[in-house]
Amino acid sequence: MLFSNYSSGNLVVAVALLFAGALYICFSSRLISDPISGLQHNFNILRTIKFPVDDLEVALDSAAIGNNKTVIITMVNKAYVEEVEGGMTMLDLFLESFWQGEGTVPLLDHLMVVAADQTAYDRCRFKRLHCYKMETEGVDLEGEKVYMSDDFIEMMWRRTRLLLDVLRRGYHLLFTDTDVMWLRSPFSRLSNNWTLDMQISVDSGIEGHLINTGFYYVRSSNRTISLFQKWYDMRLNSTGMKEQDVLKNLLDSGLFNQLGLTVGFLNTTHFSGFCQDSTDMGAVTTVHANCCRHISAKVFDLTLVLHDWKRYKASLVNTKWSPHAKCWGSWNDTQYTPKT
């Protein structure tokens, strides 16, 4: 054989030299025939190669809307991806709203799901979504975190820290709780005035700014990064307070004005919730299961919301929403056992 007298090491060297020679001939012939276009071609190849820094950057980059660098973000844990009464999961119901909504299906391509535990991450991957597993540094965020429990407050602060990281990376974000039904694309309802740094939902009306951090849009800038850093730092002096109340205090204290931040409040006619229903199904964009204590009640009443929505789409007749009886009763449900 041709290489019978070669050692294995010499054989590898010989093959490498032949390959290098072929590359040289290829590139040199290109440069000789057209040196400018050849160099430009090679430069373009290098320019299009991306080197993601970490898993978060990979997920953000894959979910971003074109060159706009806007990402829709939601967060789930094990309790949100496992079935409750009726065989539905909160994540399934959330995704179903995109399928039933008007102009919302394409937005699933730009949804990044943040998983707080391995079970939620595995379910996200199974559904072929853009997934990121948040580091929790030994804190158990797996089971259901009932409203205002210590674990609930901790999860909200972990979420705030992650969103701060997203803004630092230059991504604009639209954060949505998983208990928000997307019935229409919200982007046509958000202000096109790019001087607004933040647009946030409210529990009722606009007067009094009863803000709700379950749905808000933030543009990445030095101003918003400073806000989120201050907001997150305030957790150290806000024991027992959820991040939403701390942000409300910062708003009332004038910090937004000090930072030069402009904020818009999303009217409940378009961005509705159980605290205050939208009376116009022809205009409603999202429905949030706010003013509700636990997951099983949310899933039950949000399932009715989707039934109401389907009925409206079939008839285009504006009607009242079904009563949110399970959620209203959840505050007095002393026998409720959180999902583990």
Side-chain angles (χ1 to χ4, degrees), residues 107-170:
L107 297 180
L108 286 172
D109 290 335
H110 306 293
L111 171 68
M112 185 182 83
V113 177
V114 177
D117 55 65
Q118 190 62 43
T119 300
Y121 181 71
D122 291 341
R123 185 62 60 90
C124 177
R125 293 293 302 273
F126 177 77
K127 292 183 176 296
R128 299 183 180 278
L129 302 167
H130 302 292
C131 312
Y132 172 70
K133 186 175 183 295
M134 182 176 67
E135 294 298 327
T136 56
E137 300 173 1
V139 178
D140 179 16
L141 299 180
E142 188 173 65
E144 179 182 358
K145 309 308 174 189
V146 176
Y147 183 74
M148 288 309 295
S149 65
D150 290 342
D151 286 345
F152 171 86
I153 293 172
E154 177 64 24
M155 181 177 282
M156 295 303 99
W157 283 119
R158 294 299 178 106
R159 184 178 83 183
T160 303
R161 184 176 67 180
L162 175 69
L163 297 180
L164 168 60
D165 193 2
V166 171
L167 293 174
R168 281 175 171 163
R169 293 166 186 254

Side-chain angles (χ1 to χ4, degrees), residues 17 36 64 72 120 136 164 169 171 215 218 263 271 315:
L17 289 173
I36 301 300
I72 303 166
T136 56
L164 168 60
R169 293 166 186 254
Y171 290 88
F215 188 94
V218 186
V263 59
F271 299 90
S315 65

Side-chain angles (χ1 to χ4, degrees), residues 33 73 86 182 184:
S33 60
I73 300 176
W182 285 49
R184 293 184 171 92

Side-chain angles (χ1 to χ4, degrees), residues 5-225:
N5 295 326
Y6 277 74
S7 66
S8 59
N10 290 335
L11 177 59
V12 171
V13 172
V15 172
L17 289 173
L18 288 172
F19 181 71
L23 286 178
Y24 174 78
I25 293 171
C26 176
F27 284 112
S28 61
S29 61
R30 175 186 290 276
L31 292 174
I32 290 172
S33 60
D34 192 352
I36 301 300
S37 64
L39 289 171
Q40 184 63 46
H41 173 77
N42 295 333
F43 173 74
N44 288 338
I45 292 176
L46 292 174
R47 187 172 59 181
T48 57
I49 296 175
K50 297 181 180 180
F51 302 95
V53 176
D54 54 18
D55 291 344
L56 178 57
E57 188 69 32
V58 172
L60 288 168
D61 183 66
S62 62
I65 301 175
N67 295 324
N68 189 25
K69 297 195 75 174
T70 296
V71 180
I72 303 166
I73 300 176
T74 196
M75 182 174 171
V76 295
N77 67 355
K78 179 182 176 182
Y80 274 68
V81 301
E82 292 191 336
E83 295 179 358
V84 297
E85 298 175 13
M88 181 69 76
T89 75
M90 181 65 78
L91 178 59
D92 286 339
L93 197 61
F94 175 69
L95 297 176
E96 179 67 16
S97 75
F98 282 81
W99 284 102
Q100 296 297 334
E102 296 179 354
T104 48
V105 172
L107 297 180
L108 286 172
D109 290 335
H110 306 293
L111 171 68
M112 185 182 83
V113 177
V114 177
D117 55 65
Q118 190 62 43
T119 300
Y121 181 71
D122 291 341
R123 185 62 60 90
C124 177
R125 293 293 302 273
F126 177 77
K127 292 183 176 296
R128 299 183 180 278
L129 302 167
H130 302 292
C131 312
Y132 172 70
K133 186 175 183 295
M134 182 176 67
E135 294 298 327
T136 56
E137 300 173 1
V139 178
D140 179 16
L141 299 180
E142 188 173 65
E144 179 182 358
K145 309 308 174 189
V146 176
Y147 183 74
M148 288 309 295
S149 65
D150 290 342
D151 286 345
F152 171 86
I153 293 172
E154 177 64 24
M155 181 177 282
M156 295 303 99
W157 283 119
R158 294 299 178 106
R159 184 178 83 183
T160 303
R161 184 176 67 180
L162 175 69
L163 297 180
L164 168 60
D165 193 2
V166 171
L167 293 174
R168 281 175 171 163
R169 293 166 186 254
Y171 290 88
H172 316 307
L173 64 91
L174 199 171
F175 179 81
T176 173
D177 275 344
T178 319
D179 61 353
V180 174
M181 300 294 96
W182 285 49
L183 306 182
R184 293 184 171 92
S185 172
F187 290 101
S188 62
R189 296 293 186 186
L190 295 173
S191 172
N192 291 323
N193 181 359
W194 297 117
T195 61
L196 288 180
D197 296 292
M198 187 174 193
Q199 299 178 65
I200 188 167
S201 63
V202 296
D203 282 338
S204 59
I206 292 182
E207 296 299 325
H209 308 325
L210 298 175
I211 62 173
N212 190 303
T213 54
F215 188 94
Y216 59 89
Y217 177 76
V218 186
R219 290 184 54 78
S220 175
S221 68
N222 290 335
R223 297 185 298 274
T224 55
I225 291 171

